[in-house]
Amino acid sequence: MYENKEIDALQPGAELDALIAEKVMFLNLPSPHDRETELPKPYSTKIYAAWEVVEAIKLRLYEGFCSVYVMRTAAGNSDYRYECIIAERIYDESGWAKPDKYSVLGSGPDAPLAICRAALKAEEQAKLLRAATGQTGKD
């Protein structure tokens, strides 16, 4: 289990890509000692792969009931950062959307890293909610 501070410190690259593949994409990775092992997609560095993470979050963790926002923000001194917000949508009995109940934020110098950090936080939050409600799921 990762804490938010640990997730925020993760850097883009093969290690983060493997973590995303396992924890978010639910892929079984072969042993790293296998020379014929195919590396996971570059989720933390390429937007085409990071967008697959967005789709996985929406479908696998929230069953379509979430909003994902990715935006570029000014961080002062004309530096820009990217933020990814994943917010669960909860509906009341009449079908109206309630305000987003659970949200996570990932940020980084580029969009793929922000998406990966938010996805890991969302997975950790989903794991905690499953444990609190006695539901089973991929751990």
Side-chain angles (χ1 to χ4, degrees):
M1 188 168 254
Y2 288 88
E3 298 290 328
N4 282 347
K5 288 180 183 178
E6 293 173 309
I7 292 171
D8 289 336
L10 293 171
Q11 296 302 308
E15 186 176 331
L16 178 53
D17 296 338
L19 195 59
I20 290 291
E22 178 188 351
K23 301 288 186 187
V24 178
M25 305 302 285
F26 303 146
L27 299 174
N28 293 322
L29 297 177
S31 166
H33 302 294
D34 181 2
R35 291 191 174 264
E36 308 227 351
T37 298
E38 186 175 319
L39 296 174
K41 290 184 180 181
Y43 301 114
S44 63
T45 56
K46 301 293 182 190
I47 194 64
Y48 77 88
W51 207 254
E52 290 180 26
V53 173
V54 169
E55 294 301 322
I57 287 291
K58 289 168 66 175
L59 294 175
R60 293 186 186 127
L61 291 182
Y62 294 104
E63 298 174 351
F65 293 102
C66 76
S67 299
V68 179
Y69 308 95
V70 180
M71 63 203 92
R72 188 173 102 165
T73 61
N77 299 333
S78 72
D79 290 334
Y80 289 95
R81 293 191 59 75
Y82 285 82
E83 292 182 347
C84 177
I85 299 170
I86 301 171
E88 185 174 10
R89 288 182 289 184
I90 307 293
Y91 294 91
D92 63 19
E93 302 78 37
S94 63
W96 289 93
K98 294 180 180 181
D100 294 327
K101 186 174 180 184
Y102 300 105
S103 296
V104 294
L105 170 70
S107 64
D110 54 36
L113 181 57
I115 290 168
C116 287
R117 287 175 174 170
L120 284 173
K121 289 178 183 180
E123 170 54 31
E124 290 295 327
Q125 185 177 74
K127 191 184 305 180
L128 291 172
L129 288 172
R130 285 192 302 267
T133 60
Q135 296 175 351
T136 60
K138 179 79 176 170
D139 287 329

